[in-house]
């Protein structure tokens, strides 16, 4: 279960008492959640007006940075392709797994100096996340182009004889080259029609060279045959072949072109390998940066919301709960009982009550400050 509830409640006589009460209610007798204190430093409060405006801005920033975190994680999974089981071990924050980072959260004073105003700190995070988002777009676009071009070439060299490139199948000696009158054609014949082909190919048009057919290559369904004829009979031959369900491949032997294709494939393959390592390293570093930024936004939101709800001087305890999946509803009820005195209006719209016509799914409201942190960042299960 990688869902956390980040909540706060005002200090009773002390913040420690608030923590002890919550622990007794949720763990001592009923094991509803695993809990940690969530350490938020003494941030600059500023004016009430600024806090109200900042509350909305932080909500938008939270959504944006979460989307950046998910994009980087998802792209990591795309780049690792066949090693998707390795994705999770690459998604670290500050060198530790995400659960460890969140449960032992410490504010990063170097990145986000607390002497700055809350607005400045949120702007630092916003700029950082925007930069990561833009860089990701540029890097992903370059790598995807390379990968797409390579896949197109690989596709050309695979698939059925009707569509695949024939460059790696045929050899120079399979063709009559540089003849003014003669030409070698390549024909795809279904395996079930080999006997028909041998019987009829010489009569599909006038001027087919007798006994000139040769089987060059087979796949599961068909064979590739060469046949030599006079150039003036080509159109007639193609037409008759089609009537007999033989497919003439449009192919001219050109050594230079074939060599260029092979070199292009080698080049793309080498480029992809060269870019892979640095790209994965960049994704790891920037996933960590984005995730750390995201959790700092959660901390900012808890701080701002707690000051707005519980007033000054700043006196609240932030707490991180990891709910036991089976007991989530029960945990909500216990927290509601514990904190309903904080806000009488929350009694009417407690989200654990199902009131028809009242859609609380978008904006869950509880008598205590609450934000969810979901660490399940990928669209697939690893």
């Amino acid at each position: 279960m990688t869902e956390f509830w980040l909540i706060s409640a005002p200090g009773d006589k002390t913040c420690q008492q608030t923590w002890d009460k919550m622990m007794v209610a949720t763990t001592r007798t009923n094991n509803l959640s695993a809990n940690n204190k969530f350490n938020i430093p003494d941030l600059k409060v500023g004016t009430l007006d600024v806090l109200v405006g900042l509350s909305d801005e932080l909500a938008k920033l939270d959504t944006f940075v979460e989307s950046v975190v998910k994009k980087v994680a998802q792209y990591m999974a795309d780049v690792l392709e066949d090693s998707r089981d390795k994705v999770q071990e690459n998604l670290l924050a500050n060198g530790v797994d995400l659960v460890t980072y969140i449960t032992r959260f410490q504010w990063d004073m170097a990145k986000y100096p607390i002497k700055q105003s809350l607005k400045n700190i949120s702007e630092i995070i916003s700029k950082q996340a925007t930069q990561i988002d833009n860089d990701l777009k540029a890097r992903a676009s370059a790598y995807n182009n390379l990968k797409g071009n390579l896949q197109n070439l690989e596709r050309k060299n695979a698939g059925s004889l009707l569509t695949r490139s024939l460059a790696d199948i045929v050899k120079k000696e399979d063709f009559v080259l540089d003849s003014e009158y003669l030409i070698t054609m390549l024909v795809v014949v279904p395996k079930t029609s080999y006997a028909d082909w041998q019987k009829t190919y010489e009569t599909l048009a006038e001027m087919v060279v007798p006994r000139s057919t040769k089987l060059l290559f087979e796949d599961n369904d068909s064979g590739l045959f060469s046949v030599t004829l006079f150039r003036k009979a080509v159109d007639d031959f193609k037409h008759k072949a089609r009537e007999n369900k033989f497919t003439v491949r449009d192919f001219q032997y050109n050594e230079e072109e074939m060599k260029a294709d092979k070199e292009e494939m080698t080049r793309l393959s080498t480029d992809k390998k060269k870019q892979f390592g640095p790209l994965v390293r960049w994704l790891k570093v920037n996933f960590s940066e984005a995730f750390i930024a995201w959790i700092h936004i959660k901390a900012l939101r808890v701080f701002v919301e707690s000051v707005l709800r519980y007033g000054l001087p700043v006196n609240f305890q932030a707490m991180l709960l990891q709910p036991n999946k089976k007991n989530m509803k029960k945990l909500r009820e216990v927290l509601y009982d514990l904190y309903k005195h904080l806000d009488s209006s929350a009694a009417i719209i407690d989200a654990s009550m199902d009131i028809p016509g009242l859609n609380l799914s978008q904006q869950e409201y509880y008598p205590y400050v609450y934000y969810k942190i979901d660490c399940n960042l990928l669209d697939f299960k690893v």
Side-chain angles (χ1 to χ4, degrees):
M1 181 70 182
T2 48
E3 182 178 309
F4 292 90
W5 296 357
L6 181 54
I7 70 168
S8 83
D12 289 333
K13 290 195 179 69
T14 64
C15 288
Q16 185 60 37
Q17 274 182 316
T18 303
W19 168 255
D20 291 340
K21 262 191 195 171
M22 194 274 299
M23 285 297 283
V24 169
T26 61
T27 63
R28 294 290 147 81
T29 54
N30 45 18
N31 187 26
L32 296 177
S33 56
N35 307 326
N36 294 82
K37 283 184 179 176
F38 191 83
N39 298 311
I40 300 175
D42 297 328
L43 298 166
K44 282 190 163 181
V45 176
T47 66
L48 194 62
D49 281 357
V50 169
L51 286 184
V52 171
L54 199 55
S55 176
D56 285 345
E57 281 171 36
L58 285 172
K60 289 178 194 146
L61 188 55
D62 187 345
T63 304
F64 170 61
V65 180
E66 181 181 3
S67 78
V68 173
V69 170
K70 284 184 169 169
K71 272 190 239 173
V72 177
Q74 196 57 51
Y75 195 61
M76 172 91 80
D78 293 348
V79 169
L80 288 174
E81 293 176 63
D82 304 330
S83 324
R84 287 197 155 195
D85 51 333
K86 299 273 193 295
V87 177
Q88 218 65 52
E89 66 196 53
N90 283 298
L91 298 180
L92 303 175
N94 243 357
V96 296
D97 67 86
L98 306 185
V99 170
T100 304
Y101 177 77
I102 296 172
T103 51
R104 297 184 192 164
F105 175 75
Q106 293 295 327
W107 187 274
D108 190 326
M109 301 287 183
K111 274 197 189 100
Y112 313 114
I114 57 172
K115 289 194 168 63
Q116 302 246 12
S117 70
L118 295 174
K119 189 154 181 52
N120 281 4
I121 294 171
S122 76
E123 278 167 4
I124 292 170
I125 292 175
S126 177
K127 275 189 193 138
Q128 187 190 7
T130 304
Q131 183 67 50
I132 291 173
D133 194 37
N134 291 339
D135 283 358
L136 176 66
K137 280 178 194 149
R139 283 167 190 268
S141 169
Y143 189 74
N144 289 352
N145 278 344
L146 186 59
K147 196 165 129 183
N149 291 341
L150 184 59
Q151 279 170 342
N152 286 342
L153 271 182
E154 283 168 349
R155 216 171 283 127
K156 268 171 70 179
N157 288 317
S160 90
L161 280 170
L162 295 169
T163 53
R164 64 169 290 174
S165 163
L166 304 176
D168 58 340
I169 291 173
V170 297
K171 301 186 200 59
K172 192 173 182 176
E173 54 267 29
D174 297 328
F175 294 83
V176 172
L177 297 170
D178 309 321
S179 163
E180 200 179 327
Y181 302 109
L182 293 173
I183 184 169
T184 301
M185 315 276 296
L186 297 178
V187 185
V188 179
V189 179
K191 279 190 170 170
T192 49
S193 307
Y194 279 9
D196 287 350
W197 168 255
Q198 293 290 358
K199 259 194 295 206
T200 58
Y201 81 90
E202 291 176 2
T203 57
L204 290 177
E206 290 179 0
M207 302 186 174
V208 174
V209 177
R211 292 210 291 272
S212 64
T213 194
K214 203 162 112 203
L215 177 61
L216 306 180
F217 185 84
E218 283 184 301
D219 65 12
N220 292 335
D221 307 308
S222 323
L224 184 72
F225 286 83
S226 61
V227 59
T228 303
L229 57 148
F230 278 75
R231 287 182 183 274
K232 58 168 81 165
V234 165
D235 289 344
D236 198 20
F237 182 84
K238 279 185 178 173
H239 177 68
K240 286 282 185 359
R242 201 165 35 245
E243 282 181 358
N244 283 274
K245 303 208 166 31
F246 306 136
T247 308
V248 177
R249 284 291 307 263
D250 210 6
F251 181 85
Q252 282 182 323
Y253 186 87
N254 182 322
E255 211 148 9
E256 291 305 308
E257 263 179 42
M258 283 156 61
K259 193 173 159 207
D261 265 7
K262 276 183 188 155
E263 281 170 1
E264 175 71 351
M265 192 145 171
T266 309
R267 186 185 68 75
L268 289 172
S269 187
T270 309
D271 279 1
K272 187 182 167 200
K273 282 189 190 117
K274 256 191 215 155
Q275 286 193 25
F276 177 80
L279 179 60
V280 170
R281 275 195 296 283
W282 184 90
L283 288 166
K284 280 171 77 163
V285 167
N286 286 276
F287 173 81
S288 175
E289 293 294 307
F291 189 85
I292 289 167
W294 185 41
I295 303 305
H296 278 75
I297 292 168
K298 296 289 187 193
L300 284 177
R301 291 190 76 188
V302 169
F303 182 85
V304 168
E305 201 60 30
S306 299
V307 172
L308 286 173
R309 281 217 212 171
Y310 310 141
L312 291 167
V314 175
N315 178 29
F316 67 88
Q317 178 64 54
M319 301 167 275
L320 186 74
L321 284 61
Q322 190 173 6
N324 183 332
K325 196 171 186 179
K326 291 190 205 106
N327 300 327
M328 287 172 98
K329 195 163 187 288
K330 177 72 177 147
L331 179 60
R332 274 284 176 230
E333 287 161 8
V334 165
L335 292 175
Y336 175 68
D337 285 340
L338 196 56
Y339 299 123
K340 61 186 173 194
H341 64 282
L342 296 174
D343 188 342
S344 55
S345 67
I348 307 160
I349 56 163
D350 174 29
S352 64
M353 292 161 62
D354 194 11
I355 303 168
L358 189 60
N359 179 12
L360 289 163
S361 60
Q362 292 307 304
Q363 188 52 62
E364 298 171 294
Y365 183 79
Y366 302 100
Y368 47 92
V369 171
Y370 159 79
Y371 296 106
K372 184 166 93 165
I373 302 174
D374 188 352
C375 291
N376 207 17
L377 301 167
L378 297 165
D379 290 344
F380 64 91
K381 296 279 179 282
V382 272

